[in-house]
């Protein structure tokens, strides 16, 4: 049977790092009374406030009914509101409310702390290079998904 040393497989490492960051973040925001799904929705609305419910479902890679139930719960808390779209009466746009701002601030603070801890001991230039490399990998994979050339990422000289 073929055995591969997975200890240096960047896919496994990246997955483990992402999982550890999520669980650490979960612990930090637990006092806010948020589930992971709820904070994931709020984070994406923070980045894309006013998107349609359908667009948000695509961004989050969840089914529309599941997202609808999540939004219902966040609406009950007074943290999101849905409004009809002026151009398409079937569509609903989702917005963060003023009431969620303290929770968003706490989430952003917790996220910054987790990122800071994750990068502890790395030189600032290594941190920047790491992010640049992740962005290049993301670009390569996004181009691959879209049927484009996967060699589009700019390579830096060592």
């Amino acid at each position: 049977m073929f055995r591969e040393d997975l200890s240096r497989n960047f896919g496994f490492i990246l997955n483990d790092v992402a999982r550890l960051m999520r669980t650490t973040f979960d612990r930090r925001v637990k006092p806010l009374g948020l589930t992971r799904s709820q904070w994931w929705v709020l984070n994406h609305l923070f980045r894309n406030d006013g998107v349609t419910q359908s667009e948000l479902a695509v961004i989050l890679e969840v089914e529309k009914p599941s997202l609808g139930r999540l939004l219902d719960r966040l609406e009950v808390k007074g943290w999101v509101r849905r409004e009809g779209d002026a151009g398409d009466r079937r569509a609903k746009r989702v917005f963060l409310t003023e009431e969620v701002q303290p929770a968003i601030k706490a989430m952003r603070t917790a996220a910054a702390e987790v990122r800071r801890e994750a990068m502890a001991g790395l030189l600032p230039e290594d941190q920047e290079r790491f992010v640049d490399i992740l962005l290049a990998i993301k670009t390569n994979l996004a181009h691959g998904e879209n049927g484009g050339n996967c060699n589009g990422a700019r390579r830096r000289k060592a």
Side-chain angles (χ1 to χ4, degrees):
M1 173 183 233
F2 174 73
R3 289 276 189 216
E4 179 184 357
D5 178 13
L6 299 179
S7 67
R8 303 235 4 119
N9 180 304
F10 85 89
F12 280 93
I13 296 166
L14 192 59
N15 184 61
D16 285 346
V17 169
R19 179 184 48 78
L20 288 167
M21 289 184 74
R22 281 190 310 271
T23 56
T24 301
F25 184 80
D26 279 345
R27 276 196 316 276
R28 303 276 170 87
V29 299
K30 189 175 183 173
L32 297 174
L34 291 169
T35 66
R36 181 176 294 172
S37 297
Q38 289 172 334
W39 67 249
W40 197 237
V41 169
L42 294 173
N43 269 325
H44 281 281
L45 284 173
F46 179 77
R47 291 175 60 187
N48 305 289
D49 202 31
V51 295
T52 66
Q53 198 165 318
S54 293
E55 291 166 336
L56 188 57
V58 169
I59 291 167
L60 296 171
E61 298 179 346
V62 298
E63 297 295 322
K64 290 178 192 178
S66 297
L67 177 61
R69 288 187 296 277
L70 276 168
L71 292 173
D72 289 344
R73 287 192 289 281
L74 292 170
E75 221 168 18
V76 166
K77 288 184 178 200
W79 288 1
V80 299
R81 74 178 191 285
R82 290 181 264 198
E83 296 178 6
D85 183 90
D88 181 354
R89 61 187 177 99
R90 298 169 298 164
K92 296 276 188 204
R93 294 209 169 264
V94 186
F95 299 91
L96 295 173
T97 65
E98 286 298 316
E99 289 81 13
V100 78
Q101 293 310 313
I104 292 289
K105 185 176 180 185
M107 287 171 43
R108 303 306 314 148
T109 299
E113 289 171 359
V114 171
R115 287 191 308 274
R116 196 171 25 261
E117 289 172 17
M119 294 286 207
L122 298 178
L123 295 172
E125 56 269 21
D126 290 339
Q127 293 179 27
E128 287 300 313
R129 177 105 170 99
F130 174 68
V131 172
D132 288 343
I133 291 167
L134 285 177
L135 289 170
I137 292 169
K138 180 179 175 181
T139 298
N140 286 343
L141 294 173
H143 283 149
E145 273 186 9
N146 298 326
N149 181 356
C150 287
N151 297 319
R154 184 176 63 98
R155 288 179 175 74
R156 285 172 60 169
K157 294 181 182 175

